[in-house]
């Protein structure tokens, strides 16, 4: 399924604090078993239904998350 | 390694990026703060507000002593470091020499409400045209979790291992309530950043503060009720519940003083 929105998580900035996990209304973010170079467990997005609400990015202390949302198609010009 | 991110065609479109984790005003550099520390949220959102208001080149910040002593490492605006507690005095000097600039301080509760109480109260009492951002985590984070003036009754810290005893040590000091009574204060508000909506409200309040500053009619003061997971000996997620259940009843959010119309 094509996604309407998604997040980009900078693995090397994430510290696995899970503040984004509790902020996501879809419970779409999960702490994975992967470690980054600093040894922190990192989160990943585990849903196709992300709406791009930016909740996770707002509460992330380490600026690890940026959010993308599919731009609405431009309205056809009025004639 | 599992991918956290799947490329979509539309992502390269110019309007697709709805939240930029590193706007021009925030330097892309790993923060030294502990996992889950609200200093990071505060830095990021203050810099988002500076970006949104388009005032990067006219802002001068003053960094404190405390965990946020390296604030100038991350905030991509002109910054000056102040001695412990003296940020408001330094900001006074900067603003008086460069009245064309927008000057703010960023200070913890140990910095602003203990060693810097006098500087802070007098700066507000003089009605200096500066913005004071007060990050209140109710503890001395940097030095190992000692009691701060703002520590809650019964709260355990390394210097109050049995909990803060009001009888011996006195009450949590409410700096924001104090400054709201001073005639020099123009806009005084208390906010938090523990939930997405709290962050949205904080950003709104901070924007108002920066805008009120332009009136040049007194000091703007924004308190952020925040956490210190390491000092509180909690996980970041537990610290969010602690803010909700313990900190906010003692330090309720909202505007304490708004400019008269
Ligand atoms: C003149 C002076 N006295 C004491 C100290 C030690 N000291 C460093 S940071 C600090 C308190 C920091 O607490 P706070 O302002 O709440 O910031 P936090 O670390 O919690 O963010 C103290 C007492 C110092 N650096 N300089
Ligand atoms: S809030 Fe940020 S640092 Fe914390 S787990 Fe989520 S992405 Fe990682
Ligand atoms: S000690 Fe506390 S205030 Fe300092 S960085 Fe760690 S969590 Fe933040």
């Amino acid at each position: 399924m094509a996604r309407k929105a998604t997040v980009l998580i900078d693995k090397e900035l994430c510290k696995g604090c899970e503040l984004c996990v509790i902020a996501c209304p879809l419970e779409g973010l999960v702490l994975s078993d992967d470690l980054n170079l600093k040894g922190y467990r990192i989160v990943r997005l585990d849903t196709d239904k992300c709406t791009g609400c930016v909740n996770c990015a707002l509460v992330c202390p380490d600026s690890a998350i940026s959010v993308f949302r599919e731009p609405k198609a431009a309205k056809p010009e009025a004639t | 390694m599992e991918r956290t991110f799947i490329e979509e065609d539309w992502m390269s479109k110019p309007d697709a990026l709805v939240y930029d984790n590193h706007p021009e005003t925030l330097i892309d550099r790993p923060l030294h703060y502990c996992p889950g520390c609200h200093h990071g949220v505060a830095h990021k959102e203050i810099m988002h507000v500076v970006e949104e208001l388009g005032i990067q080149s006219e802002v001068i910040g003053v960094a404190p002593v405390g965990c946020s002593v390296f604030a100038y490492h991350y905030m991509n605006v002109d910054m000056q470091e102040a001695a412990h507690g003296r940020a408001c005095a330094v900001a006074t000097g900067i603003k008086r020499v460069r009245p064309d600039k927008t000057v703010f301080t960023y200070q913890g509760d140990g910095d602003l409400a203990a060693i810097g109480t006098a500087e802070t109260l007098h700066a507000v009492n003089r009605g200096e045209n500066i913005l004071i951002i007060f990050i209140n985590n109710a503890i001395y984070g940097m030095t190992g979790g000692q009691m701060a003036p703002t520590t809650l009754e019964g709260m355990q810290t390394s210097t109050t291992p049995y909990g803060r005893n009001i009888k011996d040590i006195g009450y949590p000091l409410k700096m924001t309530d104090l400054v709201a009574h001073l005639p020099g204060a123009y806009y005084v508000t208390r906010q938090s950043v523990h939930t997405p909506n709290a962050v949205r409200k904080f950003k709104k309040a901070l924007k108002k503060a920066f805008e009120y500053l332009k009136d040049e009619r007194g000091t703007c003061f924004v308190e952020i009720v925040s956490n210190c997971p390491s000092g509180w000996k909690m996980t970041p997620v537990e610290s969010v519940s602690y803010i909700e259940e313990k900190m906010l009843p003692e330090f309720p959010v909202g505007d304490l003083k708004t400019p008269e119309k």
Side-chain angles (χ1 to χ4, degrees):
Chain A
M1 195 188 90
R3 291 165 185 239
K4 290 275 176 264
T6 190
V7 296
L8 173 61
I9 299 166
D10 188 326
K11 284 190 302 214
E12 293 311 325
L13 291 181
C14 176
K15 292 179 184 161
C17 69
E18 294 186 89
L19 292 186
C20 56
V21 174
I22 58 170
C24 176
L26 302 171
E27 299 181 17
L29 291 159
V30 290
L31 197 61
S32 71
D33 291 331
D34 299 332
L35 303 181
N36 63 13
L37 290 176
K38 288 205 185 85
Y40 289 117
R41 282 174 70 185
I42 52 169
V43 293
R44 70 181 157 81
L45 184 66
D46 193 31
T47 175
D48 279 340
K49 301 198 172 61
C50 173
T51 58
C53 71
V54 270
N55 275 9
C56 56
L58 283 173
V59 298
C60 174
D62 288 279
S63 300
I65 306 181
S66 42
V67 184
F68 294 80
R69 213 184 293 144
E70 184 173 14
K72 292 215 171 66
K75 284 196 188 103
E77 265 179 53
T79 45
Chain B
M1 192 178 275
E2 206 156 351
R3 299 233 310 194
T4 59
F5 175 63
I6 294 163
E7 196 78 48
E8 300 278 355
D9 299 340
W10 50 260
M11 288 179 68
S12 54
K13 290 189 188 167
D15 312 338
L17 181 62
V18 289
Y19 190 97
D20 185 358
N21 60 343
H22 286 101
E24 185 41 40
T25 43
L26 188 68
I27 298 169
D28 188 353
R29 180 178 280 163
L31 295 164
H32 70 283
Y33 299 112
C34 306
C37 175
H38 282 165
H39 272 304
V41 183
H43 282 22
K44 171 174 63 100
E45 296 309 332
I46 293 166
M47 287 300 113
H48 265 127
V49 165
V50 169
E51 167 90 4
E52 285 164 28
L53 295 174
I55 52 174
Q56 183 182 15
S57 59
E58 61 185 73
V59 165
I60 301 179
V62 183
V65 171
C67 284
S68 48
V69 67
F70 295 131
Y72 48 80
H73 254 328
Y74 311 117
M75 300 183 178
N76 196 9
V77 295
D78 287 337
M79 297 283 292
Q80 169 63 48
E81 175 59 45
H84 200 19
R86 275 53 174 173
C88 289
V90 171
T92 298
I94 295 174
K95 181 67 187 176
R96 289 186 178 204
V97 174
R98 291 300 302 266
D100 53 316
K101 295 283 183 182
T102 302
V103 182
F104 77 91
T105 72
Y106 181 100
Q107 302 174 260
D109 46 291
D111 191 82
L112 181 140
I115 193 168
T117 318
E119 282 78 2
T120 309
L121 288 179
H122 285 290
V124 180
N125 196 44
R126 293 190 305 267
E128 298 295 340
N129 293 312
I130 57 173
L131 165 62
I132 300 170
I133 302 173
F134 168 35
I135 180 129
N136 175 11
N137 57 11
I139 208 159
Y140 289 4
M142 186 196 208
T143 44
Q146 293 85 357
M147 192 198 86
T150 48
T151 298
L152 303 178
E153 178 175 5
M155 193 171 175
Q156 285 183 334
T157 68
S158 59
T159 44
T160 57
Y162 303 108
R164 180 176 184 158
N165 176 351
I166 297 297
K167 254 188 161 166
D168 296 340
I169 313 177
Y171 296 89
L173 185 59
K174 298 185 177 169
M175 283 301 281
T176 308
D177 298 67
L178 274 179
V179 302
H181 290 296
L182 300 175
Y186 190 49
Y187 174 57
V188 180
T189 186
R190 184 187 284 122
Q191 301 292 332
S192 71
V193 291
H194 67 301
T195 63
N197 280 340
V199 176
R200 289 185 178 99
K201 284 191 195 138
F202 161 65
K203 283 178 81 171
K204 242 188 217 157
L206 190 68
K207 255 187 205 163
K208 271 202 274 183
F210 272 117
E211 259 142 33
Y212 286 142
L213 215 49
K214 292 207 185 95
D215 297 350
E216 307 252 312
R217 287 181 51 197
T219 312
C220 296
F221 192 102
V222 181
E223 172 177 348
I224 311 168
V225 179
S226 67
N227 70 354
C228 173
S230 301
W232 293 2
K233 311 264 183 282
M234 289 178 195
T235 65
V237 171
E238 285 165 357
S239 79
V240 168
S241 322
Y242 190 84
I243 289 184
E244 196 82 52
E245 288 158 20
K246 299 278 164 71
M247 292 284 281
L248 292 186
E250 187 70 28
F251 300 109
V253 295
D255 288 350
L256 284 86
K257 186 173 190 180
T258 47
E260 283 147 31
K261 291 276 138 47

